[in-house]
Amino acid sequence: MAMLMTEPVQILIVEDEPLIAMMLEDFLDVLDKQVAGTVDSVDDALARVAQGGIDAAILDVNLRGGQKSTPVAEALAERGVPFVFATGGADDAVDERFRDRPRLQKPFTMDGVAKALGSL
């Protein structure tokens, strides 16, 4: 039986600003999505990705302490899990290998989140 690709439901949030993470959680709830986890560092995100059960992810490009979410993007790409980059900056903040991925521009809106997830 072939698996049909359905809209992602279990969404991982990688965001280091607690208020923004909470806002995204609220948006996902309204959009009938489940939060597969909310993490604020590359290490925590990689650990959560390794656990599986993630349909898609929203990755803040720049995390606390100068960390970039690129290693998380690599881990998700290896597993075939789609993701969206969340950024308030220019395209060059995103690793060139992933510049074809959908973007979610800050400040976030419900419509923006819905469109970004719908594009996966």
Side-chain angles (χ1 to χ4, degrees):
M1 188 166 106
M3 289 283 295
L4 292 176
M5 188 59 198
T6 58
E7 245 186 80
V9 177
Q10 294 287 333
I11 313 294
L12 174 66
I13 299 171
V14 181
E15 171 60 63
D16 62 347
E17 294 291 336
L19 290 174
I20 294 176
M22 284 190 289
M23 183 181 68
L24 284 171
E25 289 171 358
D26 290 345
F27 285 177
L28 292 175
D29 186 49
V30 171
L31 295 168
D32 287 328
K33 307 294 184 191
Q34 305 292 315
V35 177
T38 302
V39 295
D40 64 0
S41 71
V42 169
D43 288 345
D44 289 348
L46 291 174
R48 181 60 193 88
V49 169
Q51 292 171 6
I54 297 168
D55 296 325
I58 298 173
L59 306 179
D60 186 5
V61 174
N62 295 304
L63 299 170
R64 202 173 283 126
Q67 286 190 320
K68 287 205 177 281
S69 59
T70 307
V72 184
E74 292 168 344
L76 290 166
E78 283 174 16
R79 289 170 173 76
V81 176
F83 54 89
V84 172
F85 281 113
T87 179
D91 280 359
D92 60 3
V94 175
D95 184 292
E96 61 186 28
R97 293 171 296 164
F98 299 117
R99 288 193 184 152
D100 60 333
R101 300 291 175 138
R103 295 283 157 61
L104 182 57
Q105 285 296 132
K106 294 180 181 180
F108 303 138
T109 63
M110 176 82 72
D111 191 45
V113 172
K115 281 182 179 161
L117 292 176
S119 71
L120 294 177

